Amino acid sequence: YAIPDIETLNLLAEACGEVHQSYSDHVMFCAMLSARGSEVAGLEVGDIDWVNRIVRIERQVYPGKGGLVTKQTKGRKERYVPILDPLEPILVRLSAGKKRGDPLLRGPRGGVLTTATIRDATKWDELVKGLGMDSLTRHGLRHTGATWLADAGVPLHVLQRILGHASIETTKGYLHPDHRHLNEAAKLANQFLARPPQRKEDIRRTRPQL
């Protein structure tokens, strides 16, 4: 399941933000960076490259038995994601006054945000159901970002690098058909078919005179 548009994503982020701003920021990061929750938790201020307008994703952070675990991303390779306009003001706000090695996003008490934390704190299942998105999981935010990039025309091999997949077949599995494009095509076709037929004399008059 992917969120259909940025307006709906903003509604979800605002609803999470009513609990705490960090939950709203987490939602926007996962969608706008097509990232896993653990990768968002691993972001540092120095991962933002304002010159090239990209964010480097090279680590994930999550709670383990002995405390926090920091390791490479699932694909074990750093990857680079373009900074989309809706994410820029959030990056500016969260990085202001911090050092390069500081965590970019932390929870209400300064701890690492996990998908379980987001689920429990926001009452996620009830929240998304109330917004008409019953099937949306936290990982669905990553699907959302990938789908939007694909619908925008980003080539599949570029999308593969953004998502960090070893196989392009895996990338294809993250994509969802956008039926809105089909609906728009049907609308245009129906408008064409609904035109009144031209009479023969009208057609003759509109022919170029040689």
Side-chain angles (χ1 to χ4, degrees):
Y1 183 89
I3 297 173
D5 48 50
I6 186 65
E7 290 79 10
T8 307
L9 175 63
N10 286 334
L11 285 176
L12 174 61
E14 289 171 6
C16 291
E18 291 180 3
V19 183
H20 193 270
Q21 182 61 46
S22 62
Y23 303 141
S24 172
D25 294 336
H26 177 91
V27 165
M28 295 299 292
F29 272 126
C30 287
M32 292 287 97
L33 296 176
S34 303
R36 302 175 181 89
S38 59
E39 294 171 341
V40 171
L43 289 175
E44 297 178 355
V45 174
D47 294 327
I48 306 171
D49 181 346
W50 290 113
V51 175
N52 296 300
R53 293 188 58 79
I54 56 176
V55 173
R56 181 179 67 251
I57 298 177
E58 65 176 22
R59 72 189 73 78
Q60 54 181 328
V61 176
Y62 54 89
K65 291 182 179 179
L68 289 179
V69 175
T70 301
K71 59 187 298 186
Q72 291 177 302
T73 60
K74 188 175 180 181
R76 298 183 179 180
K77 290 182 179 179
E78 64 181 26
R79 64 183 192 273
Y80 300 89
V81 184
I83 297 175
L84 303 181
D85 289 346
L87 189 61
E88 182 173 351
I90 302 174
L91 290 172
V92 170
R93 169 169 51 81
L94 291 176
S95 61
K98 294 181 180 178
K99 300 177 182 178
R100 288 183 56 83
D102 289 344
L104 192 59
L105 178 64
R106 286 293 183 262
R109 299 180 181 178
V112 170
L113 286 177
T114 67
T115 57
T117 301
I118 302 295
R119 178 196 63 210
D120 296 341
T122 63
K123 295 183 174 59
W124 181 272
D125 292 341
E126 297 176 19
L127 188 149
V128 296
K129 184 176 181 180
L131 293 173
M133 299 181 286
D134 301 35
S135 302
L136 181 67
T137 63
R138 273 77 62 205
H139 194 69
L141 297 169
R142 173 168 157 88
H143 283 258
T144 293
T147 300
W148 289 355
L149 290 172
D151 289 345
V154 175
L156 196 57
H157 70 282
V158 176
L159 187 58
Q160 178 188 6
R161 292 202 298 269
I162 290 174
L163 295 174
H165 291 151
S167 168
I168 202 164
E169 294 302 317
T170 305
T171 306
K172 290 179 181 179
Y174 273 69
L175 307 183
H176 302 264
D178 188 346
H179 297 302
R180 290 169 297 168
H181 295 336
L182 299 179
N183 292 336
E184 183 63 23
K187 179 180 177 182
L188 294 173
N190 287 331
Q191 288 174 350
F192 173 79
L193 295 174
R195 293 175 183 172
Q198 285 185 300
R199 294 178 299 178
K200 289 183 179 180
E201 52 268 31
D202 292 336
I203 295 175
R204 283 197 296 267
R205 282 199 297 268
T206 56
R207 286 178 179 171
Q209 301 298 315
L210 301 178

PDB file of all heavy atoms in Angstrom, residues 75 77 142 156-157 159-161 163-174:
ATOM      1  N   GLY A  75      21.691  -3.328   2.654  1.00  0.00           N
ATOM      2  CA  GLY A  75      22.458  -3.669   1.463  1.00  0.00           C
ATOM      3  C   GLY A  75      23.957  -3.558   1.656  1.00  0.00           C
ATOM      4  O   GLY A  75      24.728  -3.841   0.740  1.00  0.00           O
ATOM      5  N   LYS A  77      25.807  -1.060   1.694  1.00  0.00           N
ATOM      6  CA  LYS A  77      26.413  -0.031   0.860  1.00  0.00           C
ATOM      7  C   LYS A  77      25.745   1.299   1.177  1.00  0.00           C
ATOM      8  O   LYS A  77      24.538   1.356   1.382  1.00  0.00           O
ATOM      9  CB  LYS A  77      26.237  -0.338  -0.632  1.00  0.00           C
ATOM     10  CG  LYS A  77      27.053  -1.523  -1.133  1.00  0.00           C
ATOM     11  CD  LYS A  77      26.842  -1.708  -2.627  1.00  0.00           C
ATOM     12  CE  LYS A  77      27.664  -2.871  -3.164  1.00  0.00           C
ATOM     13  NZ  LYS A  77      27.447  -3.061  -4.632  1.00  0.00           N
ATOM     14  N   ARG A 142       8.090   3.738   3.039  1.00  0.00           N
ATOM     15  CA  ARG A 142       9.192   3.514   2.092  1.00  0.00           C
ATOM     16  C   ARG A 142       8.627   3.158   0.713  1.00  0.00           C
ATOM     17  O   ARG A 142       9.102   3.654  -0.309  1.00  0.00           O
ATOM     18  CB  ARG A 142      10.111   2.414   2.617  1.00  0.00           C
ATOM     19  CG  ARG A 142      11.216   1.966   1.656  1.00  0.00           C
ATOM     20  CD  ARG A 142      12.204   1.096   2.415  1.00  0.00           C
ATOM     21  NE  ARG A 142      12.982   0.198   1.581  1.00  0.00           N
ATOM     22  CZ  ARG A 142      14.136   0.520   0.992  1.00  0.00           C
ATOM     23  NH1 ARG A 142      14.617   1.744   1.117  1.00  0.00           N
ATOM     24  NH2 ARG A 142      14.808  -0.367   0.282  1.00  0.00           N
ATOM     25  N   LEU A 156      14.320   3.069 -13.624  1.00  0.00           N
ATOM     26  CA  LEU A 156      14.330   1.980 -12.663  1.00  0.00           C
ATOM     27  C   LEU A 156      15.731   1.725 -12.096  1.00  0.00           C
ATOM     28  O   LEU A 156      15.884   1.435 -10.905  1.00  0.00           O
ATOM     29  CB  LEU A 156      13.790   0.706 -13.317  1.00  0.00           C
ATOM     30  CG  LEU A 156      13.376  -0.426 -12.380  1.00  0.00           C
ATOM     31  CD1 LEU A 156      12.320   0.035 -11.396  1.00  0.00           C
ATOM     32  CD2 LEU A 156      12.873  -1.626 -13.174  1.00  0.00           C
ATOM     33  N   HIS A 157      16.771   1.858 -12.937  1.00  0.00           N
ATOM     34  CA  HIS A 157      18.126   1.589 -12.446  1.00  0.00           C
ATOM     35  C   HIS A 157      18.573   2.669 -11.451  1.00  0.00           C
ATOM     36  O   HIS A 157      19.342   2.388 -10.530  1.00  0.00           O
ATOM     37  CB  HIS A 157      19.121   1.480 -13.603  1.00  0.00           C
ATOM     38  CG  HIS A 157      19.397   2.779 -14.305  1.00  0.00           C
ATOM     39  ND1 HIS A 157      18.522   3.331 -15.218  1.00  0.00           N
ATOM     40  CD2 HIS A 157      20.440   3.641 -14.220  1.00  0.00           C
ATOM     41  CE1 HIS A 157      19.024   4.468 -15.668  1.00  0.00           C
ATOM     42  NE2 HIS A 157      20.188   4.686 -15.073  1.00  0.00           N
ATOM     43  N   LEU A 159      16.375   4.327  -9.498  1.00  0.00           N
ATOM     44  CA  LEU A 159      15.561   4.006  -8.331  1.00  0.00           C
ATOM     45  C   LEU A 159      16.176   2.861  -7.543  1.00  0.00           C
ATOM     46  O   LEU A 159      16.150   2.858  -6.306  1.00  0.00           O
ATOM     47  CB  LEU A 159      14.142   3.646  -8.777  1.00  0.00           C
ATOM     48  CG  LEU A 159      13.102   3.430  -7.687  1.00  0.00           C
ATOM     49  CD1 LEU A 159      12.968   4.678  -6.823  1.00  0.00           C
ATOM     50  CD2 LEU A 159      11.761   3.067  -8.301  1.00  0.00           C
ATOM     51  N   GLN A 160      16.756   1.919  -8.243  1.00  0.00           N
ATOM     52  CA  GLN A 160      17.434   0.794  -7.589  1.00  0.00           C
ATOM     53  C   GLN A 160      18.554   1.283  -6.687  1.00  0.00           C
ATOM     54  O   GLN A 160      18.707   0.820  -5.547  1.00  0.00           O
ATOM     55  CB  GLN A 160      17.988  -0.166  -8.640  1.00  0.00           C
ATOM     56  CG  GLN A 160      18.755  -1.353  -8.055  1.00  0.00           C
ATOM     57  CD  GLN A 160      19.444  -2.175  -9.130  1.00  0.00           C
ATOM     58  OE1 GLN A 160      19.444  -1.808 -10.302  1.00  0.00           O
ATOM     59  NE2 GLN A 160      20.037  -3.286  -8.740  1.00  0.00           N
ATOM     60  N   ARG A 161      19.329   2.254  -7.160  1.00  0.00           N
ATOM     61  CA  ARG A 161      20.428   2.793  -6.349  1.00  0.00           C
ATOM     62  C   ARG A 161      19.898   3.591  -5.165  1.00  0.00           C
ATOM     63  O   ARG A 161      20.458   3.540  -4.064  1.00  0.00           O
ATOM     64  CB  ARG A 161      21.333   3.668  -7.221  1.00  0.00           C
ATOM     65  CG  ARG A 161      22.109   2.907  -8.274  1.00  0.00           C
ATOM     66  CD  ARG A 161      23.338   3.684  -8.730  1.00  0.00           C
ATOM     67  NE  ARG A 161      22.976   4.950  -9.343  1.00  0.00           N
ATOM     68  CZ  ARG A 161      22.751   5.116 -10.647  1.00  0.00           C
ATOM     69  NH1 ARG A 161      22.834   4.077 -11.461  1.00  0.00           N
ATOM     70  NH2 ARG A 161      22.462   6.302 -11.137  1.00  0.00           N
ATOM     71  N   LEU A 163      17.142   3.096  -3.548  1.00  0.00           N
ATOM     72  CA  LEU A 163      16.593   2.175  -2.562  1.00  0.00           C
ATOM     73  C   LEU A 163      17.647   1.231  -1.995  1.00  0.00           C
ATOM     74  O   LEU A 163      17.427   0.601  -0.960  1.00  0.00           O
ATOM     75  CB  LEU A 163      15.447   1.359  -3.181  1.00  0.00           C
ATOM     76  CG  LEU A 163      14.207   2.158  -3.582  1.00  0.00           C
ATOM     77  CD1 LEU A 163      13.212   1.264  -4.318  1.00  0.00           C
ATOM     78  CD2 LEU A 163      13.549   2.783  -2.370  1.00  0.00           C
ATOM     79  N   GLY A 164      18.783   1.091  -2.690  1.00  0.00           N
ATOM     80  CA  GLY A 164      19.849   0.237  -2.192  1.00  0.00           C
ATOM     81  C   GLY A 164      19.622  -1.239  -2.424  1.00  0.00           C
ATOM     82  O   GLY A 164      20.070  -2.075  -1.629  1.00  0.00           O
ATOM     83  N   HIS A 165      18.949  -1.577  -3.505  1.00  0.00           N
ATOM     84  CA  HIS A 165      18.679  -2.984  -3.794  1.00  0.00           C
ATOM     85  C   HIS A 165      19.802  -3.588  -4.638  1.00  0.00           C
ATOM     86  O   HIS A 165      20.285  -2.977  -5.577  1.00  0.00           O
ATOM     87  CB  HIS A 165      17.361  -3.134  -4.565  1.00  0.00           C
ATOM     88  CG  HIS A 165      16.159  -2.809  -3.749  1.00  0.00           C
ATOM     89  ND1 HIS A 165      14.989  -2.311  -4.281  1.00  0.00           N
ATOM     90  CD2 HIS A 165      15.933  -2.906  -2.412  1.00  0.00           C
ATOM     91  CE1 HIS A 165      14.103  -2.132  -3.333  1.00  0.00           C
ATOM     92  NE2 HIS A 165      14.650  -2.471  -2.191  1.00  0.00           N
ATOM     93  N   ALA A 166      20.177  -4.821  -4.300  1.00  0.00           N
ATOM     94  CA  ALA A 166      21.189  -5.524  -5.081  1.00  0.00           C
ATOM     95  C   ALA A 166      20.607  -5.992  -6.412  1.00  0.00           C
ATOM     96  O   ALA A 166      21.293  -6.029  -7.427  1.00  0.00           O
ATOM     97  CB  ALA A 166      21.723  -6.720  -4.294  1.00  0.00           C
ATOM     98  N   SER A 167      19.329  -6.340  -6.411  1.00  0.00           N
ATOM     99  CA  SER A 167      18.667  -6.839  -7.615  1.00  0.00           C
ATOM    100  C   SER A 167      17.592  -5.862  -8.065  1.00  0.00           C
ATOM    101  O   SER A 167      16.809  -5.362  -7.250  1.00  0.00           O
ATOM    102  CB  SER A 167      18.035  -8.210  -7.350  1.00  0.00           C
ATOM    103  OG  SER A 167      17.171  -8.580  -8.403  1.00  0.00           O
ATOM    104  N   ILE A 168      17.544  -5.612  -9.352  1.00  0.00           N
ATOM    105  CA  ILE A 168      16.512  -4.710  -9.877  1.00  0.00           C
ATOM    106  C   ILE A 168      15.136  -5.349  -9.775  1.00  0.00           C
ATOM    107  O   ILE A 168      14.116  -4.666  -9.756  1.00  0.00           O
ATOM    108  CB  ILE A 168      16.839  -4.314 -11.334  1.00  0.00           C
ATOM    109  CG1 ILE A 168      16.122  -2.989 -11.680  1.00  0.00           C
ATOM    110  CG2 ILE A 168      16.467  -5.426 -12.316  1.00  0.00           C
ATOM    111  CD1 ILE A 168      16.658  -2.316 -12.908  1.00  0.00           C
ATOM    112  N   GLU A 169      15.100  -6.679  -9.696  1.00  0.00           N
ATOM    113  CA  GLU A 169      13.823  -7.369  -9.524  1.00  0.00           C
ATOM    114  C   GLU A 169      13.205  -7.014  -8.172  1.00  0.00           C
ATOM    115  O   GLU A 169      11.986  -6.924  -8.034  1.00  0.00           O
ATOM    116  CB  GLU A 169      14.014  -8.884  -9.642  1.00  0.00           C
ATOM    117  CG  GLU A 169      14.434  -9.348 -11.032  1.00  0.00           C
ATOM    118  CD  GLU A 169      13.425  -8.938 -12.105  1.00  0.00           C
ATOM    119  OE1 GLU A 169      12.211  -9.074 -11.844  1.00  0.00           O
ATOM    120  OE2 GLU A 169      13.859  -8.483 -13.174  1.00  0.00           O
ATOM    121  N   THR A 170      14.054  -6.834  -7.164  1.00  0.00           N
ATOM    122  CA  THR A 170      13.557  -6.417  -5.852  1.00  0.00           C
ATOM    123  C   THR A 170      12.939  -5.032  -5.940  1.00  0.00           C
ATOM    124  O   THR A 170      11.896  -4.758  -5.347  1.00  0.00           O
ATOM    125  CB  THR A 170      14.699  -6.417  -4.820  1.00  0.00           C
ATOM    126  OG1 THR A 170      15.316  -7.698  -4.801  1.00  0.00           O
ATOM    127  CG2 THR A 170      14.169  -6.094  -3.427  1.00  0.00           C
ATOM    128  N   THR A 171      13.587  -4.146  -6.701  1.00  0.00           N
ATOM    129  CA  THR A 171      13.071  -2.794  -6.874  1.00  0.00           C
ATOM    130  C   THR A 171      11.698  -2.821  -7.531  1.00  0.00           C
ATOM    131  O   THR A 171      10.793  -2.094  -7.131  1.00  0.00           O
ATOM    132  CB  THR A 171      14.038  -1.957  -7.742  1.00  0.00           C
ATOM    133  OG1 THR A 171      15.346  -2.010  -7.165  1.00  0.00           O
ATOM    134  CG2 THR A 171      13.580  -0.514  -7.832  1.00  0.00           C
ATOM    135  N   LYS A 172      11.535  -3.687  -8.524  1.00  0.00           N
ATOM    136  CA  LYS A 172      10.243  -3.785  -9.207  1.00  0.00           C
ATOM    137  C   LYS A 172       9.141  -4.176  -8.225  1.00  0.00           C
ATOM    138  O   LYS A 172       7.998  -3.752  -8.361  1.00  0.00           O
ATOM    139  CB  LYS A 172      10.327  -4.815 -10.328  1.00  0.00           C
ATOM    140  CG  LYS A 172      11.175  -4.390 -11.514  1.00  0.00           C
ATOM    141  CD  LYS A 172      11.216  -5.482 -12.564  1.00  0.00           C
ATOM    142  CE  LYS A 172      12.077  -5.080 -13.753  1.00  0.00           C
ATOM    143  NZ  LYS A 172      12.147  -6.160 -14.761  1.00  0.00           N
ATOM    144  N   GLY A 173       9.491  -4.969  -7.219  1.00  0.00           N
ATOM    145  CA  GLY A 173       8.500  -5.413  -6.247  1.00  0.00           C
ATOM    146  C   GLY A 173       8.003  -4.303  -5.344  1.00  0.00           C
ATOM    147  O   GLY A 173       6.966  -4.446  -4.694  1.00  0.00           O
ATOM    148  N   TYR A 174       8.739  -3.188  -5.309  1.00  0.00           N
ATOM    149  CA  TYR A 174       8.333  -2.053  -4.484  1.00  0.00           C
ATOM    150  C   TYR A 174       7.408  -1.107  -5.228  1.00  0.00           C
ATOM    151  O   TYR A 174       6.871  -0.178  -4.640  1.00  0.00           O
ATOM    152  CB  TYR A 174       9.563  -1.265  -4.016  1.00  0.00           C
ATOM    153  CG  TYR A 174      10.173  -1.794  -2.750  1.00  0.00           C
ATOM    154  CD1 TYR A 174      10.829  -3.021  -2.741  1.00  0.00           C
ATOM    155  CD2 TYR A 174      10.089  -1.091  -1.563  1.00  0.00           C
ATOM    156  CE1 TYR A 174      11.386  -3.524  -1.582  1.00  0.00           C
ATOM    157  CE2 TYR A 174      10.644  -1.574  -0.397  1.00  0.00           C
ATOM    158  CZ  TYR A 174      11.294  -2.801  -0.415  1.00  0.00           C
ATOM    159  OH  TYR A 174      11.841  -3.301   0.736  1.00  0.00           O
TER     160      TYR A 174
END
